[in-house]
Amino acid sequence: MQKAFFLLVVFSISFCLKSLGQILYFPIDSCNFDNGICSQIAVSTDTQNIFQIGSPHKIFFGNTYSQPNAIMTDSIHPYKKNNFSYFDYYLNSLNGFPGGFQISFSHKFETDTLKDVGYVLFSSDSGQTWLDIGLVNNYNAWYSIPTVENFKNDTVCNPQVYPFTGKSNGWIRTEINLILLLPARLSSGFSNSFVFRFCFVSDSINNNKAGWIIDNINLSRI
């Protein structure tokens, strides 16, 4: 009974803070690729994958958001046609009693509008099932509707996909908040099951554009 009352109080506080726009964020992880590696990142080993960590050598990409490295769709050449590439970001430090979590990242993109896209998927079971981040609220009763900034509402390739497409106006910052409806203690092993997948897809036409560059991925507890 006491435990149920405690969880109810915690949930009520979390809900009120969210409603008032006063969510408190506690940074716990940062991935800026400065050393060329990031322990939370796993890049696809598929031979078609074009995501690379390093320094960009494309005019549109310019410098990274924080020097010297970032992750991008090829550091030198335009992205390939008929390509599907991805990398995963694991929430391996999410433990304790979080009311939810936020990932945020800085990025630029230059693609053929509505044809070549970058998008983000989410999994809570170590990648066995995936859902577009824009529709996480339909996935599991644990999650409320996320706050997603800078996402275009176009549906491309799949009506489940909310993509980044076209050309960004310089670096933009995107934040994704997921609020746990029933806060519970998370062990490091359980939090490892939470994964964000950054995907890039191109069609059959070469357009000699830069693609997608991502830097400074941050994880915070709510």
Side-chain angles (χ1 to χ4, degrees):
M1 185 67 180
Q2 289 180 339
K3 181 178 180 181
F5 178 76
F6 171 76
L7 291 175
L8 178 61
V9 170
V10 172
F11 168 69
S12 299
I13 294 173
S14 299
F15 181 81
C16 290
L17 289 175
K18 181 176 184 294
S19 300
L20 294 173
Q22 297 175 340
I23 300 176
L24 300 178
Y25 299 98
F26 303 93
I28 56 177
D29 264 329
S30 178
C31 183
N32 56 22
F33 306 101
D34 285 353
N35 297 319
I37 58 174
C38 180
S39 61
Q40 303 99 303
I41 296 290
V43 181
S44 169
T45 57
D46 188 279
T47 56
Q48 298 300 311
N49 177 66
I50 58 174
F51 270 115
Q52 300 174 346
I53 297 174
S55 298
H57 300 279
K58 297 181 183 181
I59 295 176
F60 176 77
F61 282 173
N63 294 323
T64 58
Y65 189 80
S66 64
Q67 299 294 329
N69 300 314
I71 188 166
M72 68 207 79
T73 51
D74 199 300
S75 61
I76 300 175
H77 306 289
Y79 60 82
K80 300 177 181 179
K81 64 179 182 180
N82 295 322
N83 185 256
F84 173 70
S85 297
Y86 70 89
F87 69 89
D88 293 335
Y89 178 80
Y90 288 86
L91 279 61
N92 54 17
S93 297
L94 187 67
N95 51 30
F97 284 94
F101 51 90
Q102 178 197 80
I103 67 162
S104 59
F105 51 96
S106 297
H107 60 133
K108 296 171 68 176
F109 47 90
E110 183 191 40
T111 72
D112 187 8
T113 304
L114 302 183
K115 301 295 183 180
D116 305 330
V117 302
Y119 58 95
V120 183
L121 301 177
F122 175 75
S123 174
S124 63
D125 55 14
S126 301
Q128 295 183 51
T129 55
W130 295 97
L131 191 75
D132 180 78
I133 191 62
L135 301 175
V136 166
N137 56 300
N138 295 329
Y139 178 71
N140 190 305
W142 270 36
Y143 307 106
S144 69
I145 298 174
T147 298
V148 181
E149 299 176 0
N150 297 318
F151 267 67
K152 292 181 179 294
N153 292 321
D154 308 298
T155 54
V156 183
C157 304
N158 183 325
Q160 304 293 301
V161 171
Y162 285 61
F164 298 107
T165 184
K167 185 175 182 178
S168 63
N169 184 20
W171 287 96
I172 61 176
R173 188 75 182 170
T174 292
E175 298 176 349
I176 300 171
N177 297 319
L178 296 178
I179 309 300
L180 293 174
L181 293 183
L182 184 62
R185 182 169 182 81
L186 303 180
S187 67
S188 59
F190 183 73
S191 63
N192 279 339
S193 65
F194 292 158
V195 189
F196 285 92
R197 175 163 289 181
F198 292 72
C199 304
F200 184 81
V201 177
S202 63
D203 64 8
S204 60
I205 301 174
N206 273 328
N207 51 39
N208 295 315
K209 294 185 178 180
W212 198 14
I213 181 171
I214 302 163
D215 202 358
N216 285 33
I217 304 175
N218 296 325
L219 172 65
S220 297
R221 284 174 50 176
I222 299 173

